[in-house]
Every structure is written in C-alpha cells, then in structure tokens.
C-alpha cells in the first residue's frame, strides 16, 4: 500500500480548496509527501497555508506532486521540512507544475523545490529563511506606528494582504493586537 501524504493524500483528479491551514510535524512512512501528496491530475488550491517540520522517508517532504498534478499556492509557507530524497520543500514530477504566488519556500532539506514550477511573482525561495518579524507589515525592520497605520488603512476583508497578520481573511483587532504585542525592532 502507498503510505504517502502524511498530512493529506489527494488522488485521481480531486481538487480541494484549503484556506488558512497548517501541515506541521507530519510523517509519510513509506511513500512521498510528508505534508501533502497530490497524485494523478490533482490540482488543489491552497491560500495562507503553512507546511513546516514535516518528514518523509522518500521524496517531496512538504508537498509531492506526481503525474499532471499542479496545485495553485497563494501566500503559503514551506519551511524546515526534511526529505531523505529530493524536494525537501516540494517535489514536482511527470508533468506536474504548481503555480506559486506570494509564497515562501525556505530552510528545507535537501533542497527547496525540485522539478518544474510557475513563478506568479512575489515568491521567496531561499536556503535560509528570513528572520521572523511578525507585525512588521511595512517591511521597515521596526514594528511601530507605521504598521498600526497600515493596519487601520486596510481594515476589513482582505485576501493575502500583509496587514492580515493572522491570515484569517480580515484585517481587524486581532492583527492590531499582534502588532502591539511585538512592538519594537525586528530581531
């Protein structure tokens, strides 16, 4: 039996839509895809999803895409996943070509992405992850007044914007509280 897809296994043309999900500390014992495995023309859409600290015996630790499986990933994070084979963050083989938009793939072992993928802009692909500075929505290295003003300016429904710090689809009080909690210079 195939034992891939430690967190989620999709097969035979299934096309789930996932929003604000986390695949963390999953293990695929005898197959591929510690976090998620997509086989045979499976094309999920994932928005604001995180794949972290997943492990796999074979390939494609964060996500494994096989035979015409091309997910669409928007504002997702793949970090610190470990594969014994290829594609620590993601492995794409046999006509699989995921589309990444505003997605970060970093700190995965042995590599970040193996195989074809489409860069829809705004992506960060790096061996080392950037320092975490939650709350710095302006990107100036300081969590402060400018971030509060940016949150107030974006108040309300928001899909994938920096001001939606908790990734719940709305800029509001929870995001403002996060900024106040981490006030000061970024690490």
């Amino acid at each position: 039996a195939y034992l891939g897809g430690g967190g989620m296994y999709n097969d035979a043309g299934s096309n789930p839509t996932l929003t604000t999900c986390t695949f963390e500390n999953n293990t695929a014992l005898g197959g591929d895809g510690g976090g998620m495995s997509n086989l045979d023309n499976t094309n999920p859409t994932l928005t604001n999803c995180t794949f972290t600290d997943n492990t796999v015996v074979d390939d494609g630790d964060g996500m494994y895409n096989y035979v015409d499986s091309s997910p669409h990933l928007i504002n997702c994070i793949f970090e610190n996943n470990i594969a014994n084979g290829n594609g620590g963050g993601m492995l794409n083989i046999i006509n699989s070509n995921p589309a990444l938009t505003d997605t970060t793939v970093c700190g995965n072992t042995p590599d970040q992405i193996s195989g074809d993928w489409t860069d829809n802009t705004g992506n960060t692909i790096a061996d080392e992850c950037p320092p975490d500075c939650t709350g710095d929505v302006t990107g100036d290295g300081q969590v402060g007044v400018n971030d509060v003003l940016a949150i107030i300016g974006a108040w309300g429904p928001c899909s994938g914007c920096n001001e939606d710090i908790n990734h719940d689809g709305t800029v509001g009080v929870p995001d403002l509280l996060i900024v106040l909690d981490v006030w000061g210079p970024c690490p």
Side-chain angles (χ1 to χ4, degrees):
Y2 181 78
L3 299 174
M8 184 173 190
Y9 176 84
N10 300 307
D11 194 6
S14 64
N15 300 310
T17 298
L18 304 169
T19 303
T20 314
C21 58
T22 301
F23 292 85
E24 183 174 10
N25 294 319
N26 295 293
T27 301
L29 298 176
D32 304 298
M36 178 183 287
S37 187
N38 299 307
L39 306 178
D40 301 322
N41 195 31
T42 299
N43 304 299
T45 299
L46 290 87
T47 305
N48 299 327
C49 293
T50 301
F51 291 76
T52 186
D53 297 321
N54 297 292
T55 57
V56 67
V57 172
D58 292 327
D59 299 312
D61 184 47
M63 181 180 285
Y64 177 71
N65 300 304
Y66 179 78
V67 183
D68 301 315
S69 294
S70 300
H72 188 193
L73 306 167
I74 306 158
N75 199 36
C76 293
I77 298 171
F78 288 76
E79 64 182 356
N80 302 323
N81 298 291
I82 301 170
N84 287 323
N86 296 311
M90 182 184 306
L91 177 64
N92 311 309
I93 57 176
I94 308 179
N95 299 320
S96 294
N97 190 340
L100 279 64
T101 306
D102 298 323
T103 291
T104 299
V105 184
C106 63
N108 300 290
T109 303
D111 51 5
Q112 305 314 309
I113 300 176
S114 183
D116 294 334
W117 62 283
T118 299
D119 184 352
N120 283 345
T121 72
N123 298 301
T124 300
I125 312 299
D127 288 339
E128 293 187 27
C129 294
D132 182 21
C133 193
T134 301
D136 182 19
V137 297
T138 60
D140 63 2
Q142 177 79 24
V143 179
V145 173
N146 292 334
D147 302 297
V148 170
L149 294 173
I151 287 172
I152 291 169
W155 204 267
C158 176
S159 178
C161 65
N162 288 340
E163 294 82 4
D164 183 16
I165 299 168
N166 67 351
H167 306 292
D168 68 354
T170 302
V171 177
V173 172
D175 304 299
L176 186 58
L177 291 174
I178 291 169
V179 166
L180 295 175
D181 187 49
V182 296
W183 196 272
C186 293

